Amino acid sequence: MIQEFIVGIILGGIPLSVSLLLAGLGEMFTQRSGVFNLGVEGIMMLSAFIGFFVVYTIGSPFLGIIAAMAGGALMGLLMGLVSITFKASQGISGIGLFMFGWGLSGTLFRVYVGGVTTIKGINDIYIPVLSNIPIIGPILFSQNPLVYVAYLLVPVASWLLFKTSWGLKVRAVGTTPAAADTVGVSVVKIRYQSLVIGGVMAGLAGAYLSIAQAHLFADNITAGRGFIAVALVYFGRWKPAGIMGGALLFSMAHSFQRLIQVYGINFPYEIAVIIPYILVIVVLAFTWKSQSLGPLALGKPYDREFRG
Amino acid sequence: MRKILTIMIVLLILMSSVAFAAGSKEAVDDGVIKIALVIPSTIDDMAWSQAMYNGIIAVQKEMGEDKVKVDISEMLWNAVDAGSAIMQYASEGYNLVIAHGAQYQSLLNDIAPDFPETTFAYGTGYSTDHPNIFAYDPFAQEGSYLLGMIAGMKTKSNIIGIVGPVESGDAIKFNKGFILGVKATNPEAVVRVAYTGSFGDLVAAGEIAKSQIAAGADILTGTAQQSVGAIRVAEGAGNVLWLSSDLDQSSLAPNTILVAQAYNFTKVVKEMIDSRSKGVLGGKHLPLTLENGMLQLVFNPQLDSELTAEMKAKIDTAKKQIIDGSLKIDIE
């Protein structure tokens, strides 16, 4: 019973963590470069629609994912245009991007699809033999293909950020943009690139929701997951492994609260539902000072002429 | 610059108030019934809102499109936005304004006295504070009791799952009736209830359905718009049956949805129109029950073989007993 319960928590938690992890990793690059993109939620919604729509019309989940990522990239560029080129306040433009994505995805869905429609999408795979191993079989070898992609992207993101010269530029631009500028790093270019990567990852996260997890699209399908991803970037101290830890912790807490309901453990469900959020706040509060600071220039539009 | 701006704003306010005054005409009796519907989701949500929409359209078809004019505002979950739509409809002379949700009750209580000629309706609810408000009230526990009986007879694992939205009025009525129904046919079976904490989070509903199935449930049920997400998961699992509420959802998953408890809003709308024509604009509580036929069980013909004659007879007997009052479903 206890073992079944724990396996149940992990099995329920992993699919939940994927969209948070993907969007969080993308937002990490964005924030590392000094741009605070609150519009992740909107990018996810629009991409979830684009992915769904491509699968619905053409039938290819692969093309759906590519299209969703392309849509995410465009949304990232849009955020760049507003917050880097026009130097608008990042918080406000992020909220604008969120509303734009929400409204546009909902409207397009109403006009071109209409009501509830399910798609085949991407199903979980069962790796032969290995998935029959007790406990670890179902956990490690019978997941959705995108789950493996998301977790493989953690070391990739880490390598990109800490081991490549591009990653160094991203970090430099996000910490002291003026210094990076004087040594010839284009702050604008690096920030645009980071926003596009963030958009592509949020796009993949959205596609995961509609194509792999729900197999349908509905208005507000993300239901706040994009905002949680932004919070997880702080939680993970702008590091891929930390974000993964945060995504897992949050998802497992969610899975736990669902299972205590499913198993009829006598506990008020209203409190169970907020456990994951309380947990994140508590961990945030206690880890804040002990670790490295975030990107110093986060949230500040860069202006060459302004030496403030 | 500022002056021009001020003048423009003043002009704008003046113009809109003139437009509003022009629009506020009393209901004219030209034999045409104008119905306005305000819903929290969309007319094709395959759930609560669509059930009412289908009902109104059926009435329109029956009475003739030249006799019944229908207007709809969707996605007005937010009561403030809904309030302005309701006011607008009332001031434009609509005869029957249906605000389809329990959350609109206090709004109607505020608005209804200003438009004494207009009939307002909302549901789920029972209190009618003004003589021009109808409150319709699905007795979900009656239908869900029958669904529960079916679940109890059909389960092999003796584990039945409910994917709930928010633990509030409607869901509680449905769940309690359902659990009593299960106990009536299968005292051994366990009913596990889990809520998402939302009405429209389809992904979360799907995840709960997954957890329920992983924990052994082979029959699932649930209410609200989000249930579509759970149905998709039940369908994907292959050997799980889903029991629907609100309307016949079998087109969503013809091999998974066995039966639905459906609300017959056609009758509700007709009753309100009839009552209006007799000069009673509201002030009544309209229960949807098995007895008055506003609550029905709709079986999916494609899965007819799933139910034996014996099972059907049992359901029929219980239905008759609920109707004649010999079987009371105590959900207090």
Side-chain angles (χ1 to χ4, degrees):
Chain A
M1 171 72 193
I2 295 282
Q3 182 195 318
E4 186 191 329
F5 191 75
I6 291 169
V7 173
I9 292 176
I10 299 171
L11 273 181
I14 289 174
L16 190 67
S17 66
V18 174
S19 58
L20 301 175
L21 177 60
L22 287 169
L25 287 177
E27 176 74 6
M28 176 196 73
F29 282 107
T30 313
Q31 293 199 7
R32 278 282 187 171
S33 80
V35 183
F36 177 68
N37 186 1
L38 259 183
V40 178
E41 175 94 354
I43 301 179
M44 283 171 73
M45 279 188 211
L46 188 60
S47 306
F49 170 74
I50 295 172
F52 163 83
F53 190 67
V54 169
V55 178
Y56 170 67
T57 47
I58 301 175
S60 159
F62 179 73
L63 285 181
I65 289 173
I66 299 293
M69 286 169 35
L74 282 178
M75 288 288 273
L77 282 177
L78 180 65
M79 178 70 187
L81 185 71
V82 176
S83 67
I84 301 171
T85 306
F86 298 147
K87 299 186 176 67
S89 152
Q90 294 175 2
I92 302 297
S93 36
I95 290 172
L97 196 71
F98 153 59
M99 288 175 163
F100 175 67
W102 186 358
L104 190 63
S105 60
T107 309
L108 291 175
F109 178 69
R110 289 300 287 161
V111 174
Y112 292 107
V113 185
V116 179
T117 314
T118 56
I119 49 170
K120 270 221 154 356
I122 304 172
N123 290 307
D124 296 357
I125 48 168
Y126 297 90
I127 297 169
V129 187
L130 290 177
S131 60
N132 295 328
I133 303 170
I135 307 180
I136 61 163
I139 293 173
L140 294 180
F141 303 112
S142 65
Q143 296 286 354
N144 199 283
L146 286 180
V147 172
Y148 302 109
V149 172
Y151 280 88
L152 281 177
L153 281 172
V154 175
V156 172
S158 199
W159 171 79
L160 205 56
L161 187 64
F162 296 111
K163 302 281 181 208
T164 65
S165 66
W166 181 78
L168 183 64
K169 285 179 192 165
V170 170
R171 286 179 286 142
V173 160
T175 314
T176 45
D181 198 6
T182 41
V183 295
V185 176
S186 166
V187 175
V188 170
K189 197 174 105 191
I190 294 290
R191 286 190 171 177
Y192 260 104
Q193 287 169 345
S194 302
L195 269 172
V196 167
I197 288 188
V200 167
M201 299 282 279
L204 185 57
Y208 171 79
L209 279 181
S210 64
I211 300 177
Q213 209 176 358
H215 297 257
L216 47 79
F217 180 84
D219 191 62
N220 196 17
I221 186 170
T222 49
R225 290 174 182 82
F227 289 110
I228 292 163
V230 174
L232 286 178
V233 176
Y234 282 80
F235 184 92
R237 315 305 306 160
W238 296 272
K239 292 191 182 94
I243 294 166
M244 180 179 80
L248 276 172
L249 180 71
F250 183 80
S251 312
M252 295 301 164
H254 243 304
S255 183
F256 170 74
Q257 68 89 357
R258 276 174 194 158
L259 273 192
I260 59 174
Q261 291 195 61
V262 166
Y263 280 95
I265 294 164
N266 199 5
F267 192 79
Y269 101 97
E270 292 88 345
I271 294 177
V273 169
I274 59 170
I275 287 176
Y277 303 94
I278 294 177
L279 197 65
V280 167
I281 291 171
V282 168
V283 177
L284 264 181
F286 285 103
T287 55
W288 189 255
K289 290 181 195 91
S290 64
Q291 294 189 17
S292 64
L293 287 166
L296 277 176
L298 181 59
K300 294 175 198 139
Y302 178 66
D303 192 331
R304 269 202 156 158
E305 306 301 316
F306 180 69
R307 300 274 182 241
Chain B
M1 185 62 201
R2 178 171 283 184
K3 220 173 216 169
I4 299 173
L5 214 65
T6 319
I7 292 171
M8 276 173 69
I9 290 171
V10 169
L11 272 177
L12 207 69
I13 292 170
L14 276 175
M15 269 160 64
S16 54
S17 57
V18 168
F20 183 76
S24 64
K25 47 182 182 260
E26 280 300 298
V28 217
D29 190 20
D30 50 4
V32 179
I33 301 155
K34 287 168 79 186
I35 303 177
L37 174 62
V38 171
I39 46 179
S41 53
T42 60
I43 56 171
D44 45 15
D45 67 351
M46 283 308 271
W48 175 247
S49 297
Q50 187 169 352
M52 175 54 94
Y53 173 75
N54 290 351
I56 293 177
I57 294 303
V59 171
Q60 190 188 32
K61 279 233 171 82
E62 199 181 309
M63 297 178 70
E65 285 193 20
D66 51 331
K67 289 282 173 218
V68 179
K69 186 178 176 292
V70 180
D71 229 313
I72 299 142
S73 288
E74 296 183 314
M75 304 290 287
L76 291 175
W77 175 256
N78 178 329
V80 177
D81 298 340
S84 57
I86 294 167
M87 287 273 264
Q88 185 73 25
Y89 281 131
S91 59
E92 280 178 17
Y94 279 79
N95 311 92
L96 173 56
V97 179
I98 302 173
H100 194 44
Q103 71 267 38
Y104 305 127
Q105 180 187 352
S106 49
L107 265 179
L108 292 190
N109 281 336
D110 284 347
I111 298 172
D114 298 336
F115 301 93
E117 297 297 312
T118 310
T119 294
F120 295 90
Y122 79 98
T124 298
Y126 52 86
S127 76
T128 54
D129 290 3
H130 299 285
N132 57 337
I133 297 180
F134 283 114
Y136 47 88
D137 187 7
F139 280 19
Q141 70 276 17
E142 294 189 0
S144 70
Y145 182 88
L146 300 179
L147 295 185
M149 287 180 66
I150 296 170
M153 293 188 285
K154 283 301 297 177
T155 180
K156 294 189 191 86
S157 63
N158 275 351
I159 301 173
I160 297 158
I162 298 180
V163 182
V166 175
E167 192 173 16
S168 64
D170 283 330
I172 293 175
K173 270 201 296 193
F174 179 90
N175 295 354
K176 284 191 172 167
F178 185 84
I179 293 166
L180 288 172
V182 170
K183 296 289 165 217
T185 55
N186 187 348
E188 307 276 293
V190 198
V191 182
R192 290 168 169 172
V193 191
Y195 294 96
T196 59
S198 148
F199 289 94
D201 192 342
L202 291 93
V203 177
E207 279 163 2
I208 287 199
K210 249 188 192 163
S211 305
Q212 295 268 28
I213 294 167
D218 61 351
I219 313 266
L220 292 178
T221 188
T223 51
Q225 292 88 332
Q226 62 169 16
S227 59
V228 175
I231 290 171
R232 169 65 193 87
V233 169
E235 187 190 22
N239 50 359
V240 174
L241 288 174
W242 179 273
L243 312 177
S244 291
S245 182
D246 293 19
L247 88 166
D248 177 15
Q249 300 170 310
S250 59
S251 62
L252 276 177
N255 296 315
T256 306
I257 296 175
L258 180 59
V259 56
Q261 164 195 234
Y263 302 149
N264 185 346
F265 282 118
T266 314
K267 279 195 163 185
V268 180
V269 175
K270 265 200 207 139
E271 182 157 334
M272 292 192 287
I273 293 175
D274 282 351
S275 169
R276 235 190 105 81
S277 67
K278 287 179 198 134
V280 181
L281 298 190
K284 267 197 286 189
H285 168 219
L286 305 173
L288 284 75
T289 63
L290 289 170
E291 190 197 352
N292 64 23
M294 295 183 192
L295 202 69
Q296 299 163 314
L297 276 197
V298 183
F299 290 92
N300 175 5
Q302 260 175 272
L303 293 184
D304 194 50
S305 57
E306 290 279 342
L307 293 170
T308 62
E310 192 195 350
M311 291 176 181
K312 283 179 186 162
K314 266 193 177 171
I315 302 160
D316 233 37
T317 314
K319 189 177 155 189
K320 285 195 183 106
Q321 286 172 336
I322 293 173
I323 290 175
D324 70 25
S326 59
L327 175 60
K328 289 254 183 291
I329 300 160
D330 185 19
I331 54 162
E332 289 316 311

